[in-house]
Amino acid sequence: MKKGLLLFVIGLMLSFQTVFGQDTYLDNFSSVSYSNNDGNQNFASNWVESNDNNSASNGRIRITGNELRFEDISRSSHLITRSANLTGATAATLSFDWQTSGLDGGGTGENLSIQISTDGSSFTTIGTFTGSNSGTFSQDITAYISATTTIRFMNTSTWQWGDWESGEYTYIDDVLIQATVTPVVTIGDLTFNENTGNAVFTVTHTGADASGAFTVNFQTVDGTAVAGSDYTSTFGTLNFNGTSGDTDTITVSITDDGALESSETFTIQFTGASDGSVDISDTATGTITDNDGLIITDGVTVNTCSGIFLDSGGVSSTYSNNEDITYTICPDTAGSFTRVNFTSFDVESSWDFLYIYEGVGTSGTLIGQYDNSNAPTTITATDASGCLTFRFTSDTSITLNGWEATVSCYAPGPTMSIVDVTVNETAGTADFTVTHTCTDASGPFTVDFQTVDGTALAGSDYTSTTGTLSFNGTVGDSEVISVPITNDSTVEIDETFTIQFTSSSDGTVDISDTATGTINSQIISDAALTLYEEFHGNVDYVVTGNTLRTADNNTDACAVTNTSSDTLIAPIPGTSTIRKAY
């Protein structure tokens, strides 16, 4: 094959590659080796055979006579590949010389094809050679520029007679990838939280060296993010020393606006360069994610005491079908407990459910299972971790609006704890113990309290009571509230009133706890007779020994014990007359 002109051109390119910014990857097969690198750059890999012996000196594929030779190769079986790292190239061309002998392309489909790939696995055929011919192949492969640009030679015939026979050949020579490399300024996209403060973009000079130092101008451009409210408009000039690999940075101030919103974007673009040969076409997108929105995300744990907790649809969309998502919210302050207050809740009843657990996983205590028939309100963690875990499941159809909830943390401070009390109405007083719990206060403090009517009424069932309790400020200190109870001698159902705290001299003290006082009805018991009233109207009862008789007919009114659920009237030992009004 005549190669003089091609070698002259290659030599010329090598001589002026610095001027024109060209990289060459060349194998002229001048030695029997699959690792030849005859250009100014090395290939990223050697030639690699498949389904042959991977030897450059023998086999169906081999190097002989300073050419790559193929003989008697099968369809999609015998092939050879090699790759080059073309990162930084702005254009690339593949070329080689070829000669075929005896390939019956029309009758049997016998051929040798050249294919190309960006990843070494998915290939595109860009040329096919058949018959007994020769020529020079040249193809623009700019679209395939990558870190693993790979070429492959193989028989791509799909005919059952497409396998070559002995004596059918193809020769390949001077395989050349010529890559145009110019000075290029690149900038990477960034995604960051809106509370990041500053977003720092790195700008890099890649590709070929420049002729000397140069500058590049840049500016920010609004997208869905708006300068002034979401970020600070930024422009300026970057300085580069002219050597590929040099970097500079662009810093953009990000605004934490506290508003619940979707992710927003802006762009950084280059507006000019002092060296016109520098490629400044690259741009970067800055994506601001809202730190006020906590989107339920499977397998994620967040540590925060603020923000809005949302279903997977976020601010503006519904959740999806077939979801099964587990998400944990923990406090970001030691000793605190996560508190989630649901301000809206809309999930399909009986089909989609939000499960809430104590702690850091679904193995914790289940607080509740919620849907539209049982919407959650305020949930506060009590587990020692301070965390709440949420699991959401949805079925195969119907998606609703989901939920929105505010996240905060409850940090227990000095706390008043008061215990419920139950007494008989003959007890005289109901004594409530109030204890200072959780943490010490800064010093002594007082707490005011009052009684509040329930079914028990102040004046007839108990005495309205108010007052002030004094505490020394140390956890464990306790005081007692005594409420006088009225014994009215009337048989009646159990009645209740409440003790509540109204204020404290120390505003850090939690006085939200309340206590219920329960007054049991008057019960007079006699071991020999227990009576459940089953009469209506005004009836006189006469008790003689263990027998209760009605006064009007002197017959047994009720001589039974433990009758289900009627009002209990107690017999009085001896002989007495009792009137009961209904």
Side-chain angles (χ1 to χ4, degrees):
M1 299 174 64
K2 295 181 179 180
K3 301 189 288 184
L5 180 60
L6 180 61
L7 291 176
F8 172 77
V9 173
I10 292 172
L12 187 64
M13 290 189 298
L14 293 178
S15 299
F16 293 96
Q17 66 90 20
T18 300
V19 176
F20 291 102
Q22 293 176 341
D23 286 339
T24 56
Y25 304 80
L26 172 65
D27 188 350
N28 58 25
F29 304 106
S30 58
S31 64
V32 182
S33 171
Y34 280 160
S35 59
N36 294 324
N37 286 288
D38 301 313
N40 71 334
Q41 298 292 332
N42 291 336
F43 282 91
S45 70
N46 295 336
W47 289 103
V48 178
E49 296 177 359
S50 294
N51 301 312
D52 201 6
N53 60 6
N54 206 36
S55 170
S57 60
N58 55 69
R60 301 188 185 194
I61 305 173
R62 66 174 73 177
I63 295 175
T64 181
N66 297 330
E67 295 174 320
L68 179 64
R69 191 206 73 176
F70 300 81
E71 179 186 13
D72 192 18
I73 63 173
S74 301
R75 293 168 294 141
S76 302
S77 177
H78 304 99
L79 55 91
I80 193 167
T81 61
R82 197 171 194 185
S83 63
N85 183 353
L86 302 186
T87 302
T90 56
T93 301
L94 169 66
S95 63
F96 54 86
D97 290 336
W98 61 273
Q99 179 179 346
T100 57
S101 176
L103 300 186
D104 185 7
T108 63
E110 295 171 350
N111 68 68
L112 183 73
S113 292
I114 175 67
Q115 297 183 320
I116 192 161
S117 169
T118 58
D119 58 8
S121 60
S122 179
F123 285 85
T124 300
T125 299
I126 57 175
T128 300
F129 315 103
T130 64
S132 297
N133 298 296
S134 64
T136 297
F137 174 85
S138 181
Q139 176 71 45
D140 184 348
I141 59 169
T142 301
Y144 300 95
I145 289 175
S146 75
T148 54
T149 299
T150 304
I151 57 176
R152 179 168 77 179
F153 290 99
M154 66 181 297
N155 178 0
T156 59
S157 174
T158 59
W159 292 33
Q160 60 178 324
W161 303 283
D163 295 339
W164 298 11
E165 298 175 358
S166 178
E168 295 178 330
Y169 299 94
T170 295
Y171 294 90
I172 301 294
D173 199 5
D174 299 321
V175 174
L176 171 68
I177 297 176
Q178 177 185 327
T180 301
V181 184
T182 60
V184 179
V185 173
T186 62
I187 181 170
D189 297 338
L190 279 183
T191 298
F192 39 84
N193 197 286
E194 73 175 4
N195 67 357
T196 193
N198 292 316
V200 181
F201 295 80
T202 298
V203 183
T204 305
H205 169 189
T206 63
D209 291 345
S211 58
F214 63 93
T215 61
V216 174
N217 298 327
F218 69 89
Q219 67 180 16
T220 54
V221 179
D222 283 355
T224 52
V226 178
S229 58
D230 300 306
Y231 72 98
T232 300
S233 178
T234 307
F235 60 91
T237 301
L238 305 176
N239 295 285
F240 295 91
N241 60 22
T243 302
S244 183
D246 189 25
T247 64
D248 206 343
T249 58
I250 298 172
T251 300
V252 180
S253 179
I254 306 302
T255 304
D256 188 356
D257 56 17
L260 181 62
E261 52 200 351
S262 301
S263 294
E264 299 170 310
T265 63
F266 64 91
T267 301
I268 294 180
Q269 66 181 24
F270 302 116
T271 57
S274 61
D275 183 341
S277 70
V278 177
D279 183 345
I280 58 172
S281 61
D282 198 20
T283 62
T285 298
T287 301
I288 307 171
T289 59
D290 184 26
N291 65 314
D292 302 299
L294 305 173
I295 308 297
I296 188 169
T297 306
D298 193 39
V300 170
T301 297
V302 295
N303 296 85
T304 184
C305 285
S306 63
I308 306 298
F309 177 40
L310 301 163
D311 60 274
S312 62
V315 178
S316 56
S317 300
T318 65
Y319 57 84
S320 300
N321 293 318
N322 300 307
E323 290 189 348
D324 190 346
I325 302 173
T326 299
Y327 184 77
T328 300
I329 302 177
C330 293
D332 57 13
T333 304
S336 295
F337 296 84
T338 298
R339 175 172 287 168
V340 178
N341 178 38
F342 287 84
T343 55
S344 65
F345 192 82
D346 185 23
V347 304
E348 185 186 10
S349 294
S350 303
W351 297 103
D352 301 339
F353 299 99
L354 179 66
Y355 303 86
I356 305 179
Y357 300 85
E358 293 278 12
V360 296
T362 56
S363 60
T365 301
L366 178 64
I367 297 173
Q369 172 185 310
Y370 304 98
D371 61 10
N372 271 1
S373 66
N374 176 34
T377 52
T378 299
I379 308 294
T380 302
T382 61
D383 183 76
S385 67
C387 303
L388 292 173
T389 292
F390 303 84
R391 180 189 176 208
F392 180 67
T393 62
S394 60
D395 68 346
T396 58
S397 64
I398 303 179
T399 59
L400 301 180
N401 293 321
W403 64 83
E404 181 175 317
T406 58
V407 176
S408 61
C409 287
Y410 165 62
T415 302
M416 292 291 96
S417 176
I418 183 169
V419 181
D420 296 341
V421 170
T422 298
V423 297
N424 292 334
E425 68 177 10
T426 58
T429 62
D431 297 324
F432 297 82
T433 299
V434 182
T435 304
H436 172 186
T437 63
C438 290
T439 62
D440 291 343
S442 58
F445 62 92
T446 60
V447 174
D448 297 329
F449 68 89
Q450 67 181 14
T451 54
V452 179
D453 283 354
T455 53
L457 303 179
S460 59
D461 299 305
Y462 72 97
T463 300
S464 177
T465 306
T466 60
T468 299
L469 305 176
S470 297
F471 295 89
N472 61 23
T474 303
V475 168
D477 188 22
S478 63
E479 297 290 334
V480 175
I481 298 172
S482 294
V483 178
I485 304 301
T486 303
N487 185 1
D488 57 14
S489 299
T490 301
V491 178
E492 52 199 348
I493 63 173
D494 294 348
E495 299 171 310
T496 63
F497 64 93
T498 300
I499 301 282
Q500 68 180 22
F501 303 113
T502 57
S503 64
S504 173
S505 62
D506 184 341
T508 66
V509 177
D510 184 344
I511 58 173
S512 61
D513 197 19
T514 61
T516 298
T518 301
I519 306 172
N520 283 341
S521 61
Q522 182 182 12
I523 300 175
I524 306 172
S525 62
D526 181 88
L529 179 62
T530 302
L531 173 68
Y532 285 85
E533 175 60 14
E534 296 182 357
F535 296 94
H536 300 280
N538 294 321
V539 180
D540 290 337
Y541 305 119
V542 176
V543 180
T544 304
N546 291 334
T547 302
L548 180 67
R549 301 176 184 276
T550 57
D552 56 349
N553 60 15
N554 203 32
T555 59
D556 284 352
C558 178
V560 298
T561 59
N562 297 327
T563 304
S564 61
S565 58
D566 296 310
T567 303
L568 172 64
I569 298 188
I572 301 175
T575 301
S576 303
T577 300
I578 307 171
R579 175 174 289 276
K580 182 69 176 178
Y582 290 88

